[in-house]
Amino acid sequence: MSQTMTGTTPKIRIRDLHKSFGTKKVLDGVSMDVAQGTSFVVIGGSGSGKSVLLRCILGLITPDSGIIEIDGENVLAAPEKRREKLRSEIGMLFQNAALFDSLTVWENVTFGLLALHKITRKNARNHAGTILAQVGLDPSVGDLYPSELSGGMQKRVGLARAIAAQPNILFFDEPTTGLDPIMGAVIDGLIVDCVKKLGSTAIAITHDMASAQRIGDEAAMLYKGKLIWQGAASSLMNSGNPNSTLESIGTEISAIYQSSQQERSNGQSTTELANLLRRANVVATQTDTLQARLKPYQAVYQNFLDILGKPPGKDDPAEPASITEQRTLLLKKQQDINSRMTRLKLYQVEAQQLTPRGSAL
Ligand SMILES: Nc1ncnc2c1ncn2[C@@H]1O[C@H](COP(=O)(O)OP(=O)(O)OP(=O)(O)O)[C@@H](O)[C@H]1O
Ligand SMILES: [Mg+2]
């Protein structure tokens, strides 16, 4: 059984994990420890391997080499039956909720319990109602089909399904992508409540810095198949502090976009910002000023999300792929005191600049 330096066994311990698909190296030596009862957030650009990492731990993808231990047990060496059992003890909120369209909400929520015969159908209906209430939905929602729900409700149902068996490990794959910032914050709040209530250990993956800071105790950045930075989630970016991580490690690049209230109202900023972000291949955003702001801000923010969802450079064939691979760009949003102007600054952060700050395992 493995031990950390403090002598306690991590809930999840990963060492030197490698996974390639054909010639494409996706995970290139990932190592991390997730302590019992903590929330660990993995951030990284589109296609950086975040979902593959979670799927490896979950046992849905077999890595090429490396170690994955849960409670000190070597999962990869365990017989298939045992792996199945371990898998069933992890609750997962999949990217885009991934609900089964042909099943009702209550069947979706209790799907795992029913499949493992841990509950009768009659009890499952009631149990689903209780769990739905925990995620802020009326139990009557249980009789609807996923297509009848809004995006935010679907995420809640996905969360309900993840916690239905009261797992002691929870995975969240992009829990807030596609939601407006207010609903995103609500879902983050629910996630934090659920994890606390169950005393679970959680791994969440996200593009969204604000979300990472709300959900995470610890955070790590995945870049080119490696975790290149690791530390307290609260130190990811601290917008009010001039010596924040971002400003001390990143170089502000020339692309600064400033818009006035007037421009935002007539939609001009949205288009310009979209072009700016697309050119710059933004992989993460700082969105802390967006919570309760005016509608035009939300329109702009939604545009971030649209762009963040796209693979780098895909829409812009003029941008050579080699440039986008050499840098990580982070966006910082600043607002002047009377909120008339919004300034967006882009920082370029080289992988080498990030590495020395990481607490290497
Ligand atoms: N089953 C698979 N077969 C082949 N390639 C795969 C498979 N799963 C993932 N990949 C590739 O691995 C890379 C990483 O994918 P992954 O889904 O982990 O990215 P991600 O970081 O989760 O991105 P996003 O933020 O867009 O969800 C991608 O290039 C993807 O095409
Ligand atoms: Mg993914």
Short mmCIF file of all heavy atoms in Angstrom, two decimals, residues 231-285:
data_model
loop_
_atom_site.label_atom_id
_atom_site.label_comp_id
_atom_site.label_asym_id
_atom_site.label_seq_id
_atom_site.Cartn_x
_atom_site.Cartn_y
_atom_site.Cartn_z
N GLY A 231 -1.65 23.25 -7.55
CA GLY A 231 -1.64 24.08 -6.35
C GLY A 231 -3.04 24.28 -5.81
O GLY A 231 -3.98 23.60 -6.24
N ALA A 232 -3.19 25.20 -4.87
CA ALA A 232 -4.50 25.49 -4.30
C ALA A 232 -5.38 26.12 -5.37
O ALA A 232 -4.91 26.99 -6.11
CB ALA A 232 -4.36 26.43 -3.11
N ALA A 233 -6.65 25.69 -5.43
CA ALA A 233 -7.55 26.25 -6.44
C ALA A 233 -7.67 27.76 -6.26
O ALA A 233 -7.76 28.50 -7.24
CB ALA A 233 -8.92 25.59 -6.35
N SER A 234 -7.61 28.21 -5.02
CA SER A 234 -7.76 29.65 -4.76
C SER A 234 -6.60 30.46 -5.36
O SER A 234 -6.73 31.66 -5.56
CB SER A 234 -7.86 29.91 -3.26
OG SER A 234 -6.71 29.37 -2.64
N SER A 235 -5.48 29.81 -5.65
CA SER A 235 -4.35 30.56 -6.20
C SER A 235 -4.31 30.54 -7.73
O SER A 235 -3.41 31.08 -8.34
CB SER A 235 -3.04 29.99 -5.66
OG SER A 235 -2.79 28.73 -6.23
N LEU A 236 -5.32 29.91 -8.35
CA LEU A 236 -5.35 29.84 -9.81
C LEU A 236 -5.27 31.23 -10.42
O LEU A 236 -4.48 31.52 -11.28
CB LEU A 236 -6.66 29.21 -10.28
CG LEU A 236 -6.65 27.72 -10.53
CD1 LEU A 236 -8.05 27.26 -10.87
CD2 LEU A 236 -5.69 27.37 -11.64
N MET A 237 -6.14 32.08 -9.97
CA MET A 237 -6.13 33.47 -10.41
C MET A 237 -6.84 34.29 -9.35
O MET A 237 -7.89 33.90 -8.87
CB MET A 237 -6.88 33.63 -11.72
CG MET A 237 -6.00 33.53 -12.91
SD MET A 237 -6.80 34.25 -14.31
CE MET A 237 -7.85 32.93 -14.81
N ASN A 238 -6.25 35.39 -9.02
CA ASN A 238 -6.86 36.22 -8.00
C ASN A 238 -6.98 37.62 -8.58
O ASN A 238 -6.06 38.39 -8.57
CB ASN A 238 -5.96 36.20 -6.76
CG ASN A 238 -6.60 36.94 -5.62
OD1 ASN A 238 -7.65 37.57 -5.80
ND2 ASN A 238 -6.00 36.87 -4.47
N SER A 239 -8.17 37.88 -9.12
CA SER A 239 -8.31 39.05 -9.98
C SER A 239 -8.04 40.38 -9.28
O SER A 239 -7.51 41.30 -9.86
CB SER A 239 -9.69 39.08 -10.59
OG SER A 239 -10.64 39.24 -9.57
N GLY A 240 -8.37 40.47 -7.98
CA GLY A 240 -8.21 41.75 -7.31
C GLY A 240 -6.77 42.03 -6.90
O GLY A 240 -6.42 43.14 -6.55
N ASN A 241 -5.92 41.04 -6.94
CA ASN A 241 -4.58 41.16 -6.42
C ASN A 241 -3.58 41.41 -7.54
O ASN A 241 -3.44 40.60 -8.44
CB ASN A 241 -4.26 39.85 -5.69
CG ASN A 241 -2.85 39.82 -5.16
OD1 ASN A 241 -2.07 40.75 -5.40
ND2 ASN A 241 -2.53 38.77 -4.43
N PRO A 242 -2.87 42.52 -7.50
CA PRO A 242 -1.95 42.81 -8.59
C PRO A 242 -0.83 41.78 -8.71
O PRO A 242 -0.22 41.64 -9.77
CB PRO A 242 -1.38 44.19 -8.23
CG PRO A 242 -1.70 44.42 -6.80
CD PRO A 242 -2.88 43.58 -6.48
N ASN A 243 -0.55 41.06 -7.63
CA ASN A 243 0.49 40.04 -7.72
C ASN A 243 -0.10 38.65 -7.92
O ASN A 243 0.42 37.65 -7.46
CB ASN A 243 1.34 40.03 -6.44
CG ASN A 243 2.03 41.35 -6.27
OD1 ASN A 243 2.58 41.88 -7.23
ND2 ASN A 243 1.97 41.89 -5.08
N SER A 244 -1.24 38.60 -8.56
CA SER A 244 -1.91 37.30 -8.73
C SER A 244 -1.04 36.37 -9.57
O SER A 244 -0.14 36.80 -10.28
CB SER A 244 -3.26 37.49 -9.41
OG SER A 244 -3.04 37.85 -10.74
N THR A 245 -1.34 35.11 -9.47
CA THR A 245 -0.59 34.08 -10.20
C THR A 245 -0.48 34.44 -11.67
O THR A 245 0.59 34.41 -12.25
CB THR A 245 -1.33 32.74 -10.08
OG1 THR A 245 -1.55 32.50 -8.71
CG2 THR A 245 -0.54 31.61 -10.69
N LEU A 246 -1.61 34.81 -12.24
CA LEU A 246 -1.63 35.06 -13.68
C LEU A 246 -0.67 36.18 -14.06
O LEU A 246 0.12 36.05 -14.99
CB LEU A 246 -3.05 35.43 -14.10
CG LEU A 246 -3.22 35.71 -15.58
CD1 LEU A 246 -2.81 34.50 -16.40
CD2 LEU A 246 -4.67 36.07 -15.88
N GLU A 247 -0.75 37.27 -13.29
CA GLU A 247 0.09 38.41 -13.66
C GLU A 247 1.56 38.16 -13.39
O GLU A 247 2.43 38.71 -14.06
CB GLU A 247 -0.39 39.67 -12.94
CG GLU A 247 -1.54 40.27 -13.71
CD GLU A 247 -2.55 40.98 -12.83
OE1 GLU A 247 -2.53 40.76 -11.61
OE2 GLU A 247 -3.36 41.72 -13.39
N SER A 248 1.87 37.32 -12.41
CA SER A 248 3.28 37.10 -12.13
C SER A 248 3.89 36.05 -13.05
O SER A 248 5.09 36.07 -13.29
CB SER A 248 3.50 36.74 -10.66
OG SER A 248 2.70 35.66 -10.32
N ILE A 249 3.08 35.16 -13.60
CA ILE A 249 3.68 34.14 -14.48
C ILE A 249 3.43 34.43 -15.94
O ILE A 249 4.14 33.91 -16.79
CB ILE A 249 3.16 32.71 -14.16
CG1 ILE A 249 1.65 32.64 -14.34
CG2 ILE A 249 3.58 32.28 -12.77
CD1 ILE A 249 1.11 31.25 -14.20
N GLY A 250 2.41 35.24 -16.24
CA GLY A 250 2.05 35.43 -17.64
C GLY A 250 2.60 36.73 -18.21
O GLY A 250 2.99 37.63 -17.48
N THR A 251 2.65 36.79 -19.51
CA THR A 251 3.04 38.02 -20.18
C THR A 251 1.80 38.58 -20.83
O THR A 251 1.11 37.89 -21.57
CB THR A 251 4.03 37.68 -21.33
OG1 THR A 251 4.98 36.76 -20.83
CG2 THR A 251 4.71 38.92 -21.85
N GLU A 252 1.50 39.82 -20.54
CA GLU A 252 0.33 40.42 -21.16
C GLU A 252 0.65 40.62 -22.64
O GLU A 252 1.71 41.16 -22.98
CB GLU A 252 0.03 41.76 -20.50
CG GLU A 252 -1.29 42.32 -21.00
CD GLU A 252 -1.61 43.66 -20.37
OE1 GLU A 252 -1.19 43.91 -19.24
OE2 GLU A 252 -2.28 44.44 -21.05
N ILE A 253 -0.20 40.13 -23.49
CA ILE A 253 0.07 40.30 -24.91
C ILE A 253 -0.75 41.46 -25.45
O ILE A 253 -1.64 41.95 -24.80
CB ILE A 253 -0.15 39.00 -25.70
CG1 ILE A 253 -1.58 38.51 -25.54
CG2 ILE A 253 0.81 37.93 -25.26
CD1 ILE A 253 -1.91 37.39 -26.47
N SER A 254 -0.43 41.87 -26.65
CA SER A 254 -0.94 43.13 -27.14
C SER A 254 -2.46 43.15 -27.34
O SER A 254 -3.05 44.21 -27.36
CB SER A 254 -0.25 43.48 -28.45
OG SER A 254 -0.42 42.39 -29.34
N ALA A 255 -3.03 42.02 -27.47
CA ALA A 255 -4.45 42.01 -27.77
C ALA A 255 -5.28 42.40 -26.54
O ALA A 255 -5.54 41.59 -25.68
CB ALA A 255 -4.86 40.63 -28.24
N ILE A 256 -5.61 43.64 -26.46
CA ILE A 256 -6.46 44.10 -25.36
C ILE A 256 -7.74 44.62 -25.99
O ILE A 256 -7.71 45.34 -26.98
CB ILE A 256 -5.81 45.25 -24.57
CG1 ILE A 256 -4.57 44.73 -23.87
CG2 ILE A 256 -6.78 45.83 -23.56
CD1 ILE A 256 -3.81 45.82 -23.14
N TYR A 257 -8.81 44.23 -25.45
CA TYR A 257 -10.06 44.69 -26.01
C TYR A 257 -10.83 45.46 -24.95
O TYR A 257 -10.99 45.01 -23.84
CB TYR A 257 -10.89 43.50 -26.50
CG TYR A 257 -12.20 43.96 -27.05
CD1 TYR A 257 -12.22 44.71 -28.21
CD2 TYR A 257 -13.38 43.72 -26.38
CE1 TYR A 257 -13.42 45.19 -28.70
CE2 TYR A 257 -14.57 44.18 -26.87
CZ TYR A 257 -14.58 44.92 -28.03
OH TYR A 257 -15.76 45.40 -28.52
N GLN A 258 -11.25 46.64 -25.30
CA GLN A 258 -11.97 47.47 -24.35
C GLN A 258 -13.30 47.86 -24.97
O GLN A 258 -13.36 48.26 -26.13
CB GLN A 258 -11.13 48.71 -24.08
CG GLN A 258 -11.65 49.55 -22.96
CD GLN A 258 -10.55 50.45 -22.41
OE1 GLN A 258 -9.51 49.98 -22.02
NE2 GLN A 258 -10.79 51.73 -22.42
N SER A 259 -14.35 47.74 -24.22
CA SER A 259 -15.64 48.11 -24.80
C SER A 259 -16.42 48.99 -23.84
O SER A 259 -16.29 48.88 -22.63
CB SER A 259 -16.45 46.86 -25.13
OG SER A 259 -16.89 46.26 -23.94
N SER A 260 -17.23 49.84 -24.39
CA SER A 260 -18.07 50.71 -23.57
C SER A 260 -19.45 50.09 -23.44
O SER A 260 -19.83 49.20 -24.18
CB SER A 260 -18.18 52.08 -24.21
OG SER A 260 -18.93 51.94 -25.41
N GLN A 261 -20.18 50.62 -22.49
CA GLN A 261 -21.56 50.17 -22.29
C GLN A 261 -22.35 50.29 -23.60
O GLN A 261 -23.08 49.39 -23.98
CB GLN A 261 -22.19 51.05 -21.20
CG GLN A 261 -23.64 50.77 -20.94
CD GLN A 261 -23.80 49.45 -20.22
OE1 GLN A 261 -23.20 49.22 -19.18
NE2 GLN A 261 -24.59 48.56 -20.79
N GLN A 262 -22.14 51.44 -24.28
CA GLN A 262 -22.85 51.68 -25.52
C GLN A 262 -22.56 50.59 -26.55
O GLN A 262 -23.46 50.03 -27.16
CB GLN A 262 -22.41 53.07 -26.06
CG GLN A 262 -23.09 53.49 -27.35
CD GLN A 262 -24.60 53.58 -27.17
OE1 GLN A 262 -25.08 53.98 -26.11
NE2 GLN A 262 -25.35 53.18 -28.19
N GLU A 263 -21.28 50.26 -26.70
CA GLU A 263 -20.90 49.23 -27.67
C GLU A 263 -21.50 47.88 -27.31
O GLU A 263 -21.93 47.13 -28.15
CB GLU A 263 -19.37 49.10 -27.72
CG GLU A 263 -18.69 50.23 -28.44
CD GLU A 263 -17.18 50.15 -28.26
OE1 GLU A 263 -16.72 49.75 -27.16
OE2 GLU A 263 -16.48 50.47 -29.21
N ARG A 264 -21.48 47.59 -26.00
CA ARG A 264 -22.02 46.30 -25.58
C ARG A 264 -23.51 46.23 -25.88
O ARG A 264 -24.02 45.21 -26.28
CB ARG A 264 -21.78 46.08 -24.09
CG ARG A 264 -20.36 45.71 -23.77
CD ARG A 264 -20.24 45.13 -22.37
NE ARG A 264 -20.62 46.06 -21.33
CZ ARG A 264 -19.81 47.04 -20.88
NH1 ARG A 264 -18.62 47.19 -21.40
NH2 ARG A 264 -20.21 47.84 -19.94
N SER A 265 -24.19 47.36 -25.63
CA SER A 265 -25.64 47.36 -25.84
C SER A 265 -26.00 47.11 -27.29
O SER A 265 -26.98 46.45 -27.58
CB SER A 265 -26.24 48.69 -25.41
OG SER A 265 -25.90 48.95 -24.08
N ASN A 266 -25.20 47.65 -28.20
CA ASN A 266 -25.59 47.42 -29.59
C ASN A 266 -24.94 46.17 -30.20
O ASN A 266 -24.99 45.95 -31.39
CB ASN A 266 -25.34 48.67 -30.45
CG ASN A 266 -23.87 49.02 -30.56
OD1 ASN A 266 -23.02 48.14 -30.41
ND2 ASN A 266 -23.57 50.27 -30.79
N GLY A 267 -24.31 45.37 -29.35
CA GLY A 267 -23.84 44.06 -29.81
C GLY A 267 -22.49 44.08 -30.49
O GLY A 267 -21.93 43.04 -30.82
N GLN A 268 -21.92 45.27 -30.66
CA GLN A 268 -20.65 45.39 -31.37
C GLN A 268 -19.53 44.62 -30.66
O GLN A 268 -18.72 43.96 -31.29
CB GLN A 268 -20.30 46.87 -31.40
CG GLN A 268 -19.19 47.25 -32.35
CD GLN A 268 -19.02 48.77 -32.30
OE1 GLN A 268 -19.99 49.50 -32.09
NE2 GLN A 268 -17.81 49.22 -32.46
N SER A 269 -19.54 44.71 -29.32
CA SER A 269 -18.46 44.09 -28.57
C SER A 269 -18.46 42.58 -28.74
O SER A 269 -17.42 41.95 -28.76
CB SER A 269 -18.58 44.45 -27.10
OG SER A 269 -19.77 43.93 -26.59
N THR A 270 -19.63 42.01 -28.86
CA THR A 270 -19.71 40.56 -28.95
C THR A 270 -18.96 40.04 -30.16
O THR A 270 -18.20 39.09 -30.08
CB THR A 270 -21.20 40.13 -29.02
OG1 THR A 270 -21.89 40.83 -28.02
CG2 THR A 270 -21.34 38.66 -28.82
N THR A 271 -19.17 40.71 -31.30
CA THR A 271 -18.51 40.26 -32.52
C THR A 271 -17.00 40.45 -32.43
O THR A 271 -16.23 39.56 -32.77
CB THR A 271 -19.02 41.09 -33.72
OG1 THR A 271 -20.39 41.27 -33.55
CG2 THR A 271 -18.71 40.42 -35.02
N GLU A 272 -16.59 41.63 -31.93
CA GLU A 272 -15.16 41.90 -31.85
C GLU A 272 -14.48 40.96 -30.88
O GLU A 272 -13.38 40.48 -31.12
CB GLU A 272 -14.95 43.36 -31.41
CG GLU A 272 -15.50 44.30 -32.43
CD GLU A 272 -14.59 45.48 -32.67
OE1 GLU A 272 -13.56 45.57 -31.98
OE2 GLU A 272 -14.92 46.29 -33.53
N LEU A 273 -15.14 40.74 -29.78
CA LEU A 273 -14.57 39.86 -28.77
C LEU A 273 -14.44 38.44 -29.33
O LEU A 273 -13.43 37.76 -29.13
CB LEU A 273 -15.46 39.85 -27.53
CG LEU A 273 -15.00 38.95 -26.41
CD1 LEU A 273 -13.65 39.41 -25.87
CD2 LEU A 273 -16.01 38.95 -25.28
N ALA A 274 -15.46 38.03 -30.04
CA ALA A 274 -15.42 36.69 -30.65
C ALA A 274 -14.20 36.55 -31.54
O ALA A 274 -13.48 35.56 -31.48
CB ALA A 274 -16.70 36.44 -31.44
N ASN A 275 -13.95 37.57 -32.34
CA ASN A 275 -12.79 37.53 -33.25
C ASN A 275 -11.49 37.48 -32.46
O ASN A 275 -10.58 36.73 -32.78
CB ASN A 275 -12.79 38.75 -34.17
CG ASN A 275 -13.92 38.65 -35.17
OD1 ASN A 275 -14.39 37.56 -35.45
ND2 ASN A 275 -14.35 39.79 -35.69
N LEU A 276 -11.44 38.29 -31.40
CA LEU A 276 -10.23 38.36 -30.58
C LEU A 276 -9.94 36.99 -29.95
O LEU A 276 -8.83 36.48 -30.01
CB LEU A 276 -10.42 39.41 -29.49
CG LEU A 276 -9.35 39.47 -28.41
CD1 LEU A 276 -8.02 39.88 -28.98
CD2 LEU A 276 -9.77 40.44 -27.32
N LEU A 277 -10.97 36.42 -29.36
CA LEU A 277 -10.78 35.15 -28.67
C LEU A 277 -10.41 34.04 -29.65
O LEU A 277 -9.57 33.20 -29.38
CB LEU A 277 -12.04 34.76 -27.90
CG LEU A 277 -12.38 35.65 -26.72
CD1 LEU A 277 -13.68 35.22 -26.09
CD2 LEU A 277 -11.28 35.63 -25.68
N ARG A 278 -11.03 34.08 -30.79
CA ARG A 278 -10.76 33.04 -31.79
C ARG A 278 -9.31 33.13 -32.25
O ARG A 278 -8.61 32.13 -32.33
CB ARG A 278 -11.72 33.21 -32.96
CG ARG A 278 -11.64 32.08 -33.96
CD ARG A 278 -12.81 32.09 -34.90
NE ARG A 278 -14.03 31.72 -34.20
CZ ARG A 278 -15.21 32.30 -34.39
NH1 ARG A 278 -15.33 33.29 -35.24
NH2 ARG A 278 -16.26 31.89 -33.74
N ARG A 279 -8.87 34.35 -32.50
CA ARG A 279 -7.48 34.54 -32.92
C ARG A 279 -6.52 34.06 -31.85
O ARG A 279 -5.47 33.52 -32.12
CB ARG A 279 -7.21 36.05 -33.14
CG ARG A 279 -7.50 36.54 -34.52
CD ARG A 279 -6.69 37.78 -34.84
NE ARG A 279 -6.70 38.81 -33.80
CZ ARG A 279 -7.64 39.71 -33.65
NH1 ARG A 279 -8.69 39.72 -34.45
NH2 ARG A 279 -7.57 40.61 -32.70
N ALA A 280 -6.90 34.29 -30.59
CA ALA A 280 -5.97 34.03 -29.50
C ALA A 280 -6.07 32.62 -28.93
O ALA A 280 -5.29 32.25 -28.06
CB ALA A 280 -6.20 35.04 -28.40
N ASN A 281 -7.01 31.83 -29.38
CA ASN A 281 -7.14 30.46 -28.88
C ASN A 281 -7.21 30.42 -27.35
O ASN A 281 -6.35 29.86 -26.67
CB ASN A 281 -5.95 29.62 -29.39
CG ASN A 281 -5.96 28.23 -28.79
OD1 ASN A 281 -7.02 27.72 -28.44
ND2 ASN A 281 -4.79 27.65 -28.63
N VAL A 282 -8.21 31.07 -26.80
CA VAL A 282 -8.35 31.15 -25.35
C VAL A 282 -8.71 29.80 -24.75
O VAL A 282 -9.56 29.09 -25.28
CB VAL A 282 -9.45 32.18 -25.01
CG1 VAL A 282 -9.79 32.14 -23.53
CG2 VAL A 282 -8.97 33.55 -25.41
N VAL A 283 -8.03 29.43 -23.70
CA VAL A 283 -8.35 28.14 -23.07
C VAL A 283 -9.02 28.28 -21.72
O VAL A 283 -9.46 27.32 -21.15
CB VAL A 283 -7.11 27.23 -22.91
CG1 VAL A 283 -6.53 26.87 -24.24
CG2 VAL A 283 -6.08 27.88 -22.00
N ALA A 284 -9.04 29.46 -21.16
CA ALA A 284 -9.68 29.60 -19.86
C ALA A 284 -10.09 31.04 -19.66
O ALA A 284 -9.52 31.95 -20.25
CB ALA A 284 -8.71 29.19 -18.77
N THR A 285 -11.07 31.24 -18.80
CA THR A 285 -11.53 32.61 -18.58
C THR A 285 -11.59 32.94 -17.11
O THR A 285 -11.77 32.06 -16.28
CB THR A 285 -12.94 32.83 -19.15
OG1 THR A 285 -13.82 31.99 -18.42
CG2 THR A 285 -13.00 32.54 -20.61
#
